[in-house]
Amino acid sequence: MRCSLSNHEQILHLLKGLNNQISPKFERCTGISSSRYELLHQLYETDEINQSTLQKAVNIDSAAITRHLKQLEANGMVARRRNPNDNRVIFVRLTEEGRKQIVGYKKEKVNFVNQMLHDFNQEELETLSDMLNRMQNNISEY
Amino acid sequence: MRCSLSNHEQILHLLKGLNNQISPKFERCTGISSSRYELLHQLYETDEINQSTLQKAVNIDSAAITRHLKQLEANGMVARRRNPNDNRVIFVRLTEEGRKQIVGYKKEKVNFVNQMLHDFNQEELETLSDMLNRMQNNISEY
DNA sequence: CCTCAATTATTGACCTGTCAATAAAATATA
DNA sequence: TATATTTTATTGACAGGTCAATAATTGAGG
């Protein structure tokens, strides 16, 4: 396997750098952190959902999920209750208030992402998405 | 499982998810965090360098740089001294010890990245690198 | 000279993520 | 039934990043 070290080095550096840039900028533009947005977005798509399946969907540690949701609950964006049939699990859903608010966030988010990808055509988007998925797969075993 | 995400939505989610996966795995595999590695790598390439230009090279906040370098100094990996001609700036360089150590890290890092990109050919690597750069440019104004 | 602005590094407050340890509930099994 | 295992959520300790405020030094202009 031929490995161009410099290219390989670059990729990791670029990925990290890009992400470090994205997070604060996303928040400045949209008024919400990208993780919070992800959570709300997932909730927006469904009615009521287990915390654990939500965790898997957004792909961040469950400890972080707990803290985000507690915050969002304190802000009146989401409501939580235990599953009566299984007292371990917690159901989460958007409140009416939350459902209303997220519409605005969505708009800002679309603007941001459109700017970030404004010069990508459909084919490139698919290529990129494919590559990111492949990388994720390639390190999933570790 | 929901699949109603547009491509634009997906990209951001993938990027974030990938990065969250990479950081801990990189550290487990190589024995050093990817930011620390970046710093040492930059220092490896030069002899002695301003902290501020180092900061620009690795593209993370200067507050974080200060803390990393203090740690690395405490571990005997880097040495720092003030520039005699401008007492504001600090020169950083690898110690002999650090220069020796990083060789091992480099090997582990190459293994990790090769695994992550093992099914990417040269053209794909360039495409990917190009795309990441474009995204970074597209949000640089924010 | 003296003040004012710019540069550099540092620190503190805060946010977000990880891991490891725990608690509580449900489930499997001896 | 009693005990062990698994699942789920939570918490604490920690690492790494941002921003904003500060100090110290340098450089520029009146």
Side-chain angles (χ1 to χ4, degrees):
Chain A
M1 169 172 52
R2 195 42 226 107
C3 10
S4 154
L5 183 57
S6 65
N7 248 325
H8 280 190
E9 300 261 355
Q10 249 185 14
I11 298 291
L12 209 50
H13 183 226
L14 284 172
L15 264 177
K16 197 162 180 57
L18 180 56
N19 243 351
N20 285 352
Q21 306 246 324
I22 284 177
S23 301
K25 288 175 177 179
F26 182 96
E27 186 157 359
R28 264 199 299 278
C29 287
T30 63
I32 192 175
S33 85
S34 53
S35 298
R36 291 275 168 93
Y37 178 85
E38 271 307 323
L39 282 172
L40 295 179
H41 173 72
Q42 294 293 334
L43 291 171
Y44 188 81
E45 304 280 308
T46 69
D47 189 26
E48 207 172 32
I49 186 177
N50 287 4
Q51 198 166 303
S52 65
T53 66
L54 179 58
Q55 184 264 311
K56 276 158 208 140
V58 299
N59 208 28
I60 60 184
D61 189 89
S62 59
I65 300 289
T66 295
R67 288 162 189 139
H68 278 305
L69 289 179
K70 285 195 163 179
Q71 263 292 324
L72 289 169
E73 192 176 30
N75 300 349
M77 301 280 288
V78 312
R80 308 194 304 157
R81 68 186 182 99
R82 300 209 97 94
N83 176 352
N85 299 327
D86 184 344
N87 265 291
R88 291 169 304 180
V89 335
I90 289 195
F91 285 153
V92 194
R93 62 174 180 75
L94 282 183
T95 60
E96 280 316 308
E97 179 56 24
R99 197 161 282 274
K100 225 180 294 172
Q101 287 239 0
I102 195 179
V103 178
Y105 290 138
K106 270 186 179 303
K107 248 182 68 180
E108 297 306 321
K109 190 244 172 144
V110 168
N111 287 340
F112 179 80
V113 180
N114 280 347
Q115 173 63 27
M116 185 175 82
L117 298 173
H118 77 88
D119 55 355
F120 284 65
N121 61 39
Q122 193 56 37
E123 191 192 342
E124 287 178 310
L125 287 175
E126 279 158 22
T127 302
L128 176 56
S129 162
D130 175 58
M131 286 177 167
L132 296 176
N133 274 310
R134 278 160 62 198
M135 284 190 274
Q136 188 141 359
N137 276 336
N138 291 342
I139 61 168
S140 63
E141 66 188 63
Y142 288 130
Chain B
M1 198 57 67
R2 39 124 288 288
C3 324
S4 51
L5 275 181
S6 80
N7 257 323
H8 279 190
E9 302 261 355
Q10 253 182 20
I11 298 290
L12 208 50
H13 183 226
L14 285 172
L15 265 176
K16 197 163 180 57
L18 180 55
N19 234 47
N20 285 351
Q21 307 245 326
I22 285 177
S23 300
K25 287 174 178 180
F26 182 96
E27 186 157 359
R28 263 199 299 279
C29 289
T30 64
I32 192 173
S33 85
S34 52
S35 299
R36 291 276 168 93
Y37 178 85
E38 271 308 322
L39 283 173
L40 295 179
H41 173 71
Q42 293 293 336
L43 292 172
Y44 188 80
E45 304 279 307
T46 69
D47 189 27
E48 205 171 35
I49 186 177
N50 288 5
Q51 197 166 304
S52 66
T53 65
L54 178 58
Q55 182 264 313
K56 276 158 208 140
V58 300
N59 208 27
I60 61 183
D61 190 272
S62 59
I65 300 289
T66 295
R67 286 161 190 141
H68 278 304
L69 290 179
K70 285 195 162 180
Q71 264 289 328
L72 290 169
E73 194 177 28
N75 299 350
M77 301 281 286
V78 311
R80 308 195 304 157
R81 67 186 182 102
R82 300 208 97 95
N83 176 352
N85 299 326
D86 183 345
N87 265 291
R88 292 169 304 182
V89 336
I90 288 194
F91 285 152
V92 194
R93 62 175 180 75
L94 282 183
T95 59
E96 281 314 308
E97 179 55 26
R99 197 162 282 273
K100 225 180 297 173
Q101 287 240 359
I102 195 179
V103 178
Y105 290 138
K106 268 187 180 304
K107 247 182 69 179
E108 296 306 320
K109 190 245 172 140
V110 168
N111 287 341
F112 179 80
V113 180
N114 278 348
Q115 173 63 27
M116 184 174 82
L117 298 172
H118 76 91
D119 55 355
F120 284 64
N121 62 38
Q122 193 55 39
E123 191 192 342
E124 287 178 310
L125 287 176
E126 278 157 24
T127 302
L128 177 56
S129 163
D130 175 59
M131 287 176 167
L132 296 177
N133 273 311
R134 278 159 64 196
M135 284 191 272
Q136 187 141 359
N137 276 335
N138 290 342
I139 61 167
S140 63
E141 65 188 65
Y142 288 129

